[in-house]
Amino acid sequence: DLSIVDVPAPARAPGFVLVNNRASVISSGTERSTVRAAQASLVGKARQRPDKVQQVLQNVRKEGVLATLNKVREKLDQPKELGYSSAGVVLQADAEEARFRTGDRVACGGADFAVHAEVVVVPRNLVVPLPGAVSFEEGAFATIGAIALQGLRRSQAQLGDRVLVIGLGLIGQLAWQLAADAGCTVIGTDISPQAVSTAKALGLSQAYVRGAEDVEGACRELSDGNGVDAVLI
């Protein structure tokens, strides 16, 4: 069940920053999948998260079936906060932490930390100062922008490269714009016609609906038959 609840403000441990959130981003794809997984049966959960199944099996070998079953039930009963990218004002930080003082504007990141809440506690390495010219609403996108940028960096795409972006959701839209700004020729694709239309409206002329249009043919044509240099999924 989804619910909005009043809870005590989190306690701050050393190495963490206590922040009064002013804005947080709803990452619709990630959060929808989290809710869908939470509402699934145990079999459905297992199908969606085979990595967790392996953890359960390892725990059975170490602690037995009954102890593992109790541990799984206890875990499934715990509330799960949504959100992972926010911005706000520092309430408290370590006295020796030179980067942050009470009242400083910051952007925060991290699942289970930069969640949709009035007050959050975030590890200091997931908090960055927010420039005065950047609004809280814009700053709340810092983590999502960093994810898109990290994908582009890992691809090692360079000036003039042809880059295919598969998936034009929130992060995909940022990723193709970063690639284009870096001097790459970009092709985008998604199964959603709406996502493709959004990309085209933002300036991506080479955007195609996967399954309805020939994405591979477009890649071959754009690259003189050589294929793309990098793919971001």
Side-chain angles (χ1 to χ4, degrees), residues 56-75:
V56 169
L57 294 177
Q58 290 173 9
N59 203 86
V60 167
R61 287 192 285 269
K62 289 192 297 184
E63 301 181 21
V65 174
L66 186 59
T68 301
L69 183 60
N70 291 332
K71 183 178 290 188
V72 169
R73 284 174 174 166
E74 181 181 344
K75 182 70 174 177

Side-chain angles (χ1 to χ4, degrees), residues 50-198:
D51 56 317
K52 296 296 184 183
V53 175
Q54 290 301 318
Q55 290 182 17
V56 169
L57 294 177
Q58 290 173 9
N59 203 86
V60 167
R61 287 192 285 269
K62 289 192 297 184
E63 301 181 21
V65 174
L66 186 59
T68 301
L69 183 60
N70 291 332
K71 183 178 290 188
V72 169
R73 284 174 174 166
E74 181 181 344
K75 182 70 174 177
L76 292 177
D77 285 340
Q78 292 177 358
K80 167 73 174 176
E81 307 98 325
L82 295 174
Y84 61 90
S85 190
S86 68
V89 175
V90 173
L91 296 176
Q92 191 180 43
D94 291 341
E96 66 274 15
E97 176 60 74
R99 292 192 304 156
F100 307 118
R101 292 288 182 266
T102 300
D104 285 355
R105 304 167 76 254
V106 293
C108 309
D112 301 324
F113 299 114
V115 297
H116 304 312
E118 289 176 300
V119 179
V120 294
V121 62
V122 186
R124 63 188 178 192
N125 64 312
L126 296 179
V127 181
V128 295
L130 191 63
V134 180
S135 69
F136 289 117
E137 288 78 9
E138 293 167 333
F141 281 84
T143 301
I144 294 172
I147 294 169
L149 183 59
Q150 173 70 352
L152 182 60
R153 285 174 170 163
R154 290 290 298 273
S155 75
Q156 299 184 352
Q158 301 180 44
L159 180 70
D161 279 356
R162 297 169 178 88
V163 177
L164 172 64
V165 178
I166 300 177
L168 297 172
L170 181 57
I171 292 174
Q173 298 287 358
L174 294 172
W176 80 253
Q177 292 177 72
L178 288 167
D181 287 344
C184 300
T185 299
V186 185
I187 302 170
T189 183
D190 198 289
I191 59 174
S192 165
Q194 182 179 355
V196 171
S197 296
T198 299

